[in-house]
Amino acid sequence: MQADLARFFGEWFSDAPTLSVHTSGSTGEPKVWRVRKEQMMNSARITCEALGLRAGDRALLCMPLDYIAGKMVVVRALVAGLELVVREPSGHPLADIVEPLHFAAMVPLQVYDSLQIEEEEKRLAAVGNLIIGGGAIDRALEERLRAMPNRVYSTYGMTETLSHIALRRLNGPEASAFYRPFPSVRLALSEEQTLVIDAPLVCDELLHTNDVAEIRADGSFRILGRRDNIVSSGGIKIQLEQVEEALRPLMPVRFALTSVPHPKFGEALVLLHEGDALPQEVVARMQALLPKYQQPKYIFAVDAIPLTGTGKISRAACRELARCSWSLEVFKKDSLR
């Protein structure tokens, strides 16, 4: 991590006005972007002001520096004069930290793993401002965080917005299901009901996202899912993230929904899960919970759900894995005829 940090500082303090950032690759191949340092500093100032971070506050860096989330932790430290506490990216970044932290940015898996160990849970609860991004926060994790005494937020943003442009409080009296954009950000919906972001301090142009959203009159919003994660099966549109959210309390292992082409339905919903075959009682509860059109037509056990470098589900890899599993299933059935 120290070598990565040294490389970042070398690039940051060079004469070049931009530096390179990798996208997560959750919906396809990762890309490399050149982003402007001036806009990264704008983003850092916005977050530090929103969270009330001041010079001398301790900030934890525990995410890879290839991606925007890790880079922005360092830029916030530089802009606001924060004291950087560095740990190798892992599921337990708080394992040996004894000093109090005023700020930490983590992915959901790091938060979940930290909550499994009593001492780390205490340290997590002592972080002044904890922001969580890079993946969905399931209902059970959100319930656990609701009792935390500190300030815990879910973030909304992407590489193109240089980290987040909105925060959603997960605990305390300000807890909400809706994100609140920063004051400099304006939002709208496209004809397809996807979010359009106008964030002039961090983006030169309007950003048309693939995120299907709902915007309330007060400007707050929530994300319903991604447009490219909508499966059209038998003429009915199914938002994968919404079905996954419903299934999370039932599933004993990591899982993901995807689809395969189908001659009758156009697309057929597929459930991929890690480990052995699902217990019959889990399948029965799934069938009782979901309307028929949302029930997976195929369920495949896989060695591992494909993830990106930032821990998100790799939707593109899941689609390919489902197609391979489906083709193998068809081959087996044909061989038995």
Side-chain angles (χ1 to χ4, degrees):
M1 191 66 163
Q2 294 295 339
D4 292 338
L5 197 55
R7 279 192 292 270
F8 174 80
F9 284 139
E11 191 173 7
W12 181 261
F13 290 111
S14 72
D15 292 335
T18 63
L19 52 73
S20 59
V21 176
H22 294 83
T23 62
S24 66
S26 57
T27 58
E29 286 296 318
K31 301 174 183 176
V32 178
W33 290 72
R34 297 297 299 184
V35 299
R36 283 168 42 201
K37 296 174 185 176
E38 176 188 2
Q39 291 177 323
M40 294 177 74
M41 288 190 289
N42 287 342
S43 174
R45 291 188 189 99
I46 292 169
T47 294
C48 290
E49 288 172 7
L51 299 180
L53 299 178
R54 296 179 175 83
D57 286 352
R58 294 187 188 88
L60 176 64
L61 171 63
C62 62
M63 291 190 288
L65 280 170
D66 283 341
Y67 302 102
I68 192 65
K71 291 183 190 298
M72 285 307 306
V73 172
V74 183
V75 177
R76 291 176 198 124
L78 292 171
V79 166
L82 309 179
E83 179 186 333
L84 207 56
V85 178
V86 182
R87 290 295 183 273
E88 289 291 333
S90 75
H92 296 277
L94 300 174
D96 64 346
I97 288 181
V98 293
E99 62 266 59
L101 297 168
H102 301 89
F103 172 77
M106 297 185 187
V107 298
L109 184 58
Q110 289 175 314
V111 175
Y112 175 85
D113 286 346
S114 297
L115 287 170
Q116 307 314 304
I117 298 175
E118 184 178 355
E119 193 58 38
E120 292 181 26
E121 181 180 4
K122 291 178 182 177
R123 292 167 184 165
L124 193 70
V127 175
N129 295 276
L130 172 64
I131 65 172
I132 308 170
I137 301 173
D138 68 35
R139 199 173 301 160
L141 180 57
E142 188 164 336
E143 284 290 336
R144 188 86 178 269
L145 293 169
R146 193 163 291 150
M148 284 285 184
N150 53 344
R151 293 177 294 279
V152 185
Y153 301 88
S154 172
T155 66
Y156 175 79
M158 56 207 71
T159 304
E160 295 88 336
T161 60
L162 307 183
S163 189
H164 49 270
I165 51 90
L167 297 173
R168 177 170 74 89
R169 185 72 180 264
L170 299 180
N171 63 345
E174 298 174 17
S176 174
F178 287 76
Y179 290 92
R180 292 199 172 275
F182 292 135
S184 58
V185 175
R186 297 291 178 269
L187 303 175
L189 294 178
S190 70
E191 291 183 1
E192 294 82 17
Q193 300 302 297
T194 54
L195 199 64
V196 180
I197 300 171
D198 181 11
L201 295 180
V202 297
C203 299
D204 289 329
E205 300 175 350
L206 287 179
L207 180 62
H208 293 261
T209 76
N210 279 323
D211 292 325
V212 180
E214 172 191 348
I215 302 178
R216 298 197 298 186
D218 65 358
S220 62
F221 68 99
R222 65 174 176 169
I223 301 299
L224 305 178
R226 287 185 63 85
R227 184 177 63 178
D228 42 7
N229 289 340
I230 294 176
V231 171
S232 181
S233 184
I236 299 176
K237 295 187 183 301
I238 303 168
Q239 188 73 57
L240 295 183
E241 293 92 340
Q242 291 181 327
V243 183
E244 287 174 342
E245 181 65 20
L247 287 179
R248 244 175 224 111
L250 306 183
M251 294 297 292
V253 293
R254 193 195 302 268
F255 74 99
L257 288 172
T258 185
S259 66
V260 293
H262 193 279
K264 178 179 179 180
F265 299 105
E267 292 180 280
L269 200 60
V270 176
L271 172 67
L272 302 176
H273 67 86
E274 295 181 350
D276 300 326
L278 288 178
Q280 188 54 46
E281 58 266 27
V282 173
V283 177
R285 290 175 65 194
M286 183 189 313
Q287 292 171 341
L289 173 70
L290 297 176
K292 193 169 183 61
Y293 70 90
Q294 288 186 346
Q295 294 175 17
K297 292 188 168 49
Y298 302 99
I299 300 176
F300 298 126
V302 297
D303 292 334
I305 298 298
L307 302 177
T308 68
T310 57
K312 296 180 184 178
I313 294 173
S314 175
R315 296 292 179 180
C318 281
R319 283 193 294 273
E320 185 59 32
L321 184 57
R323 292 184 186 195
C324 291
S325 299
W326 182 77
S327 298
L328 182 59
E329 187 78 9
V330 171
F331 175 77
K332 287 179 179 177
K333 288 180 179 180
D334 287 345
S335 299
L336 293 174
R337 289 176 182 173

